[in-house]
Amino acid sequence: SQWQGGASATCAETWGAFPPVGGAPEWLSTPTESQQLSSDIPYTYLAANLIRQGVVDASSCADGGLTPEGGVNQCGLEAARPAVTQWQNQFDELILTTAQQTAVPARLLKNLFARESQFWPGSFQGMDDTGLGQLTENGADTTLFWNSSFFEQFCPFVLSEETCGNGYVNIKEEERAELRRALVGSVNATCENCPLRIDLPQANYSVGVFAHSMIANCEQT
């Protein structure tokens, strides 16, 4: 109640801690315009996926721009640069809106997606991690257990309202497992019948899920 400054990040309120004198560092900030989140990093995993899905024509490169291991060679990376830049910035407006709604810093959220998936929102080579922020069932458990308001919002999409009213910790383990699987599935934008095999509306939806997941991790910490 003593805080007289502007809106502070979610974790500051969770921990009852004032932001640092002079403001938070840039990586924990939220700009006023989505253009300020723009980046042009030459992500290799993203480039390889864009070539593989036909977004980028790298036919003039050796081996079509890809390495035998499924990565991207230097020629393919250069051919993919414009598409890589466009792709990594397409979520910026949504990231900014989500940050304003949840108080999770926009730069932190974008950096999470950059580190975890390079903005390719599917599953990684058959691993259990999935989506822009690479959620696992353990991560889903943390989200549903520690972010009660999100649990109350998400649970009725999967289970009855009566069951959800008991709270995550009080429902049967098989029901918790069903919720965890549903939450992981909700951020997995892999779609065999979609253009580029990616369901972009599903990826857009997942941005908010990952913000609430970060809030849950803040509560747990």
Side-chain angles (χ1 to χ4, degrees), residues 123-162:
S123 296
F124 176 70
Q125 296 180 351
M127 304 290 285
D128 293 332
D129 313 55
T130 193
L132 287 169
Q134 295 292 277
L135 189 67
T136 64
E137 280 204 33
N138 282 339
D141 184 70
T142 299
T143 303
L144 295 164
F145 184 92
W146 288 97
N147 192 331
S148 56
S149 62
F150 178 77
F151 164 80
E152 291 166 3
Q153 171 192 336
F154 181 79
C155 183
F157 290 111
V158 183
L159 304 174
S160 70
E161 290 194 12
E162 181 181 3

Side-chain angles (χ1 to χ4, degrees), residues 48-87:
N49 276 291
L50 292 175
I51 292 172
R52 198 172 291 115
Q53 298 305 323
V55 178
V56 174
D57 180 6
S59 57
S60 60
C61 299
D63 301 314
L66 300 174
T67 66
E69 297 77 26
V72 63
N73 60 34
Q74 188 60 38
C75 177
L77 184 61
E78 291 304 319
R81 281 295 288 268
V84 166
T85 298
Q86 185 278 330
W87 186 278

Side-chain angles (χ1 to χ4, degrees), residues 89-126:
N89 294 315
Q90 68 177 311
F91 304 105
D92 288 355
E93 186 67 41
L94 184 55
I95 289 172
L96 179 60
T97 301
T98 302
Q100 292 166 342
Q101 292 171 344
T102 63
V104 173
R107 294 190 194 280
L108 178 62
L109 198 53
K110 181 163 184 177
N111 287 341
L112 169 74
F113 299 154
R115 177 59 64 95
E116 291 290 343
S117 69
Q118 294 188 10
F119 304 98
W120 191 256
S123 296
F124 176 70
Q125 296 180 351

